[in-house]
Amino acid sequence: MSLLRLIVLGILILAAPLVASAEDADNSLLLYAVSINQTEAKGRSGTGIYLGKGLVLTASHVVGEALINRPHVTIAGQDLPARVVKQDTFERSDLALLAIDEGSLPTSLRLRRISLCQTPPWPGEDVITVIPEEAVHSHVMSPVWLPLSARRFSTVISDVARTGNSGSGVFDARTKCLLGIMSRKISQTRTRQDTGSRETYDIAKYFVPASRIVEFMPAEFQFIAGELQSSGKQRTSQPAQ
């Protein structure tokens, strides 16, 4: 075997534990991802994130009409009825806070808490979207690339096809703090040069940022918002140059 091949093989062997460790860290976030059903009879309408202390955060439109529906949360292999603590409109924050019986959860999950990021995301930041089945890397996209009508959505990611949809969590890839909750796709209509037909393309996904989540939390649960913030790791406002 040539010297070059030996060197390459050595590098691969040394790098393998680091890759495995990074994947394990990403997959640890799957514990917080839950499935949400608008009613017990209906299938999954979206996903959410377990905050701790029996509270689940998701997108409001995933829950639907709280007075009509009786949402259920699938977590740790259990299907649990949920109570809607607070729900905002799709046009405002598109957030919903649900409460489940914490006593039904395994001890390992009852002891867990996520942390909320304390600084806003920046364009190009490496993030992870999380649903119960997988954790997928993406990047924060600058809103300057959005249509003018959509630039009010300042927290967006660029990978539309592979990442989680409504209610999924968006985490900082390095510190694993929660950046936000996925809300909606942003689309743009373009004219095809070959046919002249108009087609609509998904170009980004908007997530409700952590700062808005803190504002949304009801007064009786502000204590947990404070805990989630205080446990959040400090991040630099932009990557080092």
Side-chain angles (χ1 to χ4, degrees):
M1 184 178 294
S2 68
L3 178 60
L4 178 59
R5 288 184 179 181
L6 287 173
I7 293 174
V8 171
L9 181 60
I11 292 173
L12 292 175
I13 292 173
L14 291 173
L18 297 178
V19 173
S21 177
E23 290 180 351
D24 290 344
D26 292 352
N27 290 334
S28 69
L29 296 173
L30 298 179
L31 293 171
Y32 300 104
V34 305
S35 295
I36 306 223
N37 306 328
Q38 287 188 357
T39 67
E40 185 176 10
K42 290 183 179 180
R44 185 162 100 178
S45 57
T47 57
I49 293 296
Y50 182 66
L51 300 178
K53 297 193 175 180
L55 297 176
V56 172
L57 190 66
T58 185
S60 179
H61 71 272
V62 167
V63 176
E65 294 291 335
L67 295 178
I68 300 175
N69 298 326
R70 297 291 184 267
H72 275 239
V73 170
T74 303
I75 179 172
Q78 301 182 74
D79 181 62
L80 302 176
R83 174 175 61 90
V84 179
V85 176
K86 183 178 179 180
Q87 186 176 16
D88 220 343
T89 63
F90 181 74
E91 293 74 19
R92 294 186 63 183
S93 70
D94 192 27
L95 290 174
L97 184 67
L98 310 179
I100 58 176
D101 178 16
E102 186 182 15
S104 299
L105 301 177
T107 302
S108 59
L109 191 55
R110 292 203 304 267
L111 295 175
R112 288 181 176 270
R113 303 284 186 275
I114 66 162
S115 59
L116 286 176
C117 299
Q118 297 185 40
T119 52
W122 58 81
E125 179 179 2
D126 185 19
V127 299
I128 301 172
T129 62
V130 179
I131 60 174
E133 295 79 13
E134 61 179 346
V136 177
H137 280 256
S138 184
H139 291 88
V140 175
M141 176 181 175
S142 172
V144 301
W145 298 108
L146 299 177
L148 287 174
S149 60
R151 289 185 186 174
R152 67 185 186 278
F153 301 116
S154 59
T155 49
V156 291
I157 63 171
S158 56
D159 192 334
V160 178
R162 300 184 307 115
T163 52
N165 292 319
S166 300
S168 58
V170 181
F171 291 81
D172 176 88
R174 183 175 60 85
T175 65
K176 304 300 187 289
C177 60
L178 182 67
L179 279 167
I181 294 292
M182 198 72 75
S183 172
R184 69 196 76 185
K185 293 179 181 178
I186 298 174
S187 303
Q188 187 173 38
T189 302
R190 303 170 185 167
T191 302
R192 289 190 55 167
Q193 297 297 322
D194 55 347
T195 64
S197 61
R198 302 278 286 175
E199 295 184 354
T200 299
Y201 299 85
D202 296 327
I203 60 174
K205 287 180 179 177
Y206 163 72
F207 62 91
V208 184
S211 58
R212 184 67 188 88
I213 292 172
V214 173
E215 295 173 359
F216 165 80
M217 292 292 284
E220 64 268 33
F221 290 108
Q222 279 298 325
F223 73 94
I224 194 170
E227 287 181 7
L228 296 176
Q229 276 195 303
S230 63
S231 63
K233 296 179 181 179
Q234 292 288 346
R235 306 177 310 139
T236 55
S237 60
Q238 58 185 358
Q241 300 297 320

